[in-house]
Amino acid sequence: MHTFIQTTLYVGHPRSDPPSLNIVSSDQDAKHFLVFSYPAFGHVTPLLELSRRIVAAGHRVTFAVSESLMDDMYKRNVVVPADEKRIRLFLLKDGIQSSHDECLSADDLVLVSNRLSVAIRDLISSLPVKSTRNGYSRRIADIPSVDVIISDVFICDAPFTAAVEQNIPIFGFSPMAGFMAMQYLGVTEQTALGNEDVKGEMKTDQLPAGLKDKYLKIRKSLAKATGLMFNSFTGLEPNIRGEVLKLCPEFTKLKIGCVGPVVAHSPDDPMKHSETSQVSRWLDKQKERSVVYVSFGSMLAPKENQLLILCETLRAMNRPFIWALKSAYQAPLSQGVKEAIKSQFQTTGCPFLILAWAPQTTILKHKATRLFVSHCGWNSTLEGISFGVPILAWPMCADQHGNAEMVERLGCGKKIKNVDMAAKRIVSQEELTGLIDEVAQWDSSLSENTYFTKAQKLSEDGAEVTSKDGDSQKNLELILQGD
């Protein structure tokens, strides 16, 4: 028996002006969307934001997610009990024990997909099916009929097969950059088997057998879909449809395009409001474009010796900085730094904040922020770009390397070379200082800083595509139309 929980979500957008939406005229016109996410926060976050946009257009959403994520979704401020009634969480009893942001084993990725598949097939097969005559052919308690399904492509074939059987339109959603999606869509039966895992740079020329089978299933299942949408935008990747069709000519009938940047706004959570306010007040006291913000996401942090070098580098800059560093990773820091952390909000003129949890979008959109040192997970990359902040990319694993290369190619940042989670190469204080100085260009005006001006231009492009007549908005409306 599945648990069906009513919860409420903030409907928002990272920019001051939300995307223009064609609001439905009445509840009779409203559709019910069922959204499935892979159980990792890098996947949950953009799919929740996409759900908010669907809700903002006047439709209803049921968001189905592994029950193992429920507590963390609130703790991480991903979902909050705000006063919105059209999004409900459906907790899948899939036997998964925890978030898989930190699960980087190919075998584990396959196991998670298999467990999800069982729960999702059970749910979709139990959904009410519309009849041409007397309402619905069957019902289950509390679940209205579903008009459209949106599924994370990494769940593989189960949602797509079941949706086709129930004659429900289904859209695949790729939370990765389009060019990274081309890697898994390009896997064929001829792709060589190997021992490559996703702990390093994401490569698909040699794959473990289980991961190869997973990618083949993704491609096969998407051929059954109504459409395939990417969390990207034309300013970053202008010809995603063409590239997809070049690889997958069997997708000709699919609606293919970008709906991004799908970037979450910080929800108005009373539990986090005081922390966010403290950070905002600290930022308000800093000079415009003077702050370095550092975050490696919720998954990883540099190894201990590299972490200490980073800390010393940041402190030696004599520039204000904010460092998002989970409490578990703060142990190696010096006693002096630890003492400063305890009183950082009480100390007048404290030159830094080291935070176990940081309101990232609040920081990135503040005019005091000049540079973002990031692991370049795709969500963080899009957030940096959406708010026009140059990025110093420090990738750790998987698709982060490709994202970092895109940042450098676009001209809105710089990639640190030959780094990964294994930390075989230590970035020296001298090198790191030089890279920060190169991207920040402290002594130049912002108009002369090409990294900054390019980041600002991409931010404007991202806002344009989500406006009323923008490409991403038009693609979102294709989803809203359903079939």
Side-chain angles (χ1 to χ4, degrees):
M1 183 73 178
H2 295 294
T3 305
F4 199 45
I5 294 182
Q6 173 78 37
T7 190
T8 51
L9 294 174
Y10 174 85
V11 179
H13 188 259
R15 304 189 66 85
S16 56
D17 297 319
S20 300
L21 295 170
N22 291 330
I23 308 299
V24 298
S25 58
S26 69
D27 283 345
Q28 289 183 337
D29 298 320
K31 292 185 176 68
H32 178 211
F33 289 77
L34 176 60
V35 179
F36 291 107
S37 175
Y38 187 84
F41 285 95
H43 297 240
V44 169
T45 300
L47 276 164
L48 266 175
E49 180 61 23
L50 183 65
S51 298
R52 292 173 183 135
R53 296 188 186 182
I54 293 169
V55 166
H59 300 285
R60 294 173 295 165
V61 172
T62 295
F63 194 91
V65 66
S66 174
E67 66 176 351
S68 62
L69 268 66
M70 188 62 183
D71 288 343
D72 268 355
M73 287 175 73
Y74 283 95
K75 288 178 182 177
R76 295 185 185 214
N77 209 36
V78 174
V79 56
V80 298
D83 190 25
E84 293 295 335
K85 298 179 180 179
R86 287 184 179 268
I87 293 183
R88 295 189 289 182
L89 293 183
F90 188 98
L91 303 185
L92 294 167
K93 291 186 178 294
D94 47 26
I96 296 170
Q97 299 302 312
S98 62
S99 161
H100 282 260
D101 288 277
E102 298 184 37
C103 167
L104 297 173
S105 157
D107 289 340
D108 283 344
L109 290 171
V110 173
L111 177 62
V112 169
S113 291
N114 290 343
R115 287 183 173 176
L116 271 176
S117 294
V118 174
I120 288 172
R121 275 196 297 266
D122 177 52
L123 172 57
I124 295 178
S125 65
S126 301
L127 290 173
V129 177
K130 288 187 177 180
S131 168
T132 56
R133 295 185 185 178
N134 302 317
Y136 306 115
S137 59
R138 65 177 181 275
R139 292 177 180 272
I140 55 178
D142 295 327
I143 301 183
S145 65
V146 171
D147 298 287
V148 184
I149 294 174
I150 299 173
S151 178
D152 189 328
V153 297
F154 277 82
I155 297 174
C156 287
D157 54 327
F160 298 91
T161 301
V164 170
E165 290 173 354
Q166 301 297 325
N167 198 29
I168 303 172
I170 181 167
F171 287 82
F173 177 83
S174 177
M176 288 179 147
F179 78 93
M180 295 305 299
M182 302 308 157
Q183 292 200 23
Y184 62 74
L185 289 175
V187 172
T188 68
E189 294 288 356
Q190 287 68 49
T191 299
L193 294 177
N195 295 317
E196 283 292 330
D197 213 331
V198 291
K199 292 183 179 179
E201 185 170 355
M202 185 174 177
K203 299 177 181 178
T204 54
D205 53 348
Q206 286 193 333
L207 290 169
L211 202 54
K212 175 182 175 179
D213 182 61
K214 176 182 173 76
Y215 289 155
L216 288 172
K217 284 182 177 179
I218 289 174
R219 177 168 176 166
K220 185 178 179 180
S221 63
L222 284 171
K224 307 170 187 176
T226 307
L228 171 60
M229 296 295 165
F230 296 88
N231 186 14
S232 188
F233 63 98
T234 50
L236 304 182
E237 302 179 283
N239 189 31
I240 280 187
R241 178 177 172 79
E243 293 296 325
V244 170
L245 292 180
K246 185 177 178 180
L247 274 177
C248 309
E250 69 271 27
F251 290 3
T252 301
K253 295 183 179 180
L254 271 64
K255 300 173 182 177
I256 300 171
C258 296
V259 292
V262 182
V263 177
H265 194 288
S266 295
D268 186 15
D269 183 356
M271 299 299 292
K272 296 291 187 182
H273 180 71
S274 61
E275 297 172 47
T276 301
S277 296
Q278 286 180 313
V279 173
S280 294
R281 286 194 295 270
W282 184 89
L283 285 165
D284 289 341
K285 296 175 183 176
Q286 311 308 316
K287 293 180 180 178
E288 186 170 337
R289 301 302 178 190
S290 65
V291 174
V292 175
Y293 172 54
V294 182
S295 175
F296 292 90
S298 59
M299 286 173 54
L300 303 167
K303 299 293 185 181
E304 182 174 324
N305 53 346
Q306 182 68 82
L307 185 145
L308 292 173
I309 291 172
L310 173 57
C311 185
E312 184 58 33
T313 302
L314 292 171
R315 296 184 70 197
M317 289 189 311
N318 292 319
R319 309 276 181 181
F321 68 87
I322 299 177
W323 187 3
L325 185 66
K326 291 173 68 173
S327 298
Y329 296 127
Q330 294 180 15
L333 300 179
S334 70
Q335 192 59 38
V337 171
K338 290 177 182 177
E339 290 300 318
I341 292 171
K342 292 178 183 177
S343 60
Q344 57 192 351
F345 288 116
Q346 287 74 44
T347 303
T348 301
C350 183
F352 65 80
L353 299 178
I354 297 178
L355 307 169
W357 174 86
Q360 181 155 297
T361 56
T362 297
I363 295 167
L364 288 173
K365 69 183 178 183
H366 199 284
K367 288 187 177 181
T369 305
R370 189 181 188 101
L371 174 65
F372 183 18
V373 180
S374 172
H375 66 310
C376 271
W378 187 235
N379 290 327
S380 289
T381 302
L382 276 183
E383 286 170 1
I385 288 171
S386 294
F387 294 112
V389 179
I391 298 171
L392 177 58
W394 193 327
M396 291 284 185
C397 61
D399 65 320
Q400 296 166 14
H401 294 273
N403 300 337
E405 288 169 4
M406 172 186 262
V407 162
E408 189 163 85
R409 187 169 63 250
L410 290 169
C412 61
K414 184 90 175 173
K415 178 187 178 185
I416 302 176
K417 307 299 182 186
N418 303 316
V419 290
D420 59 23
M421 64 185 291
K424 294 178 182 177
R425 184 179 86 84
I426 298 298
V427 183
S428 69
Q429 182 174 342
E430 180 182 9
E431 179 185 356
L432 186 53
T433 300
L435 288 166
I436 290 173
D437 288 346
E438 178 183 347
V439 181
Q441 297 182 22
W442 303 108
D443 298 327
S444 300
S445 68
L446 293 174
S447 61
E448 295 174 339
N449 182 337
T450 56
Y451 296 111
F452 181 81
T453 55
K454 184 60 178 179
Q456 290 287 303
K457 176 61 168 62
L458 289 170
S459 175
E460 293 169 4
D461 292 345
E464 182 179 346
V465 296
T466 54
S467 64
K468 183 177 180 181
D469 296 319
D471 292 340
S472 292
Q473 181 55 34
K474 290 177 181 177
N475 288 328
L476 175 57
E477 287 170 2
L478 290 178
I479 297 178
L480 298 180
Q481 292 167 12
D483 48 18

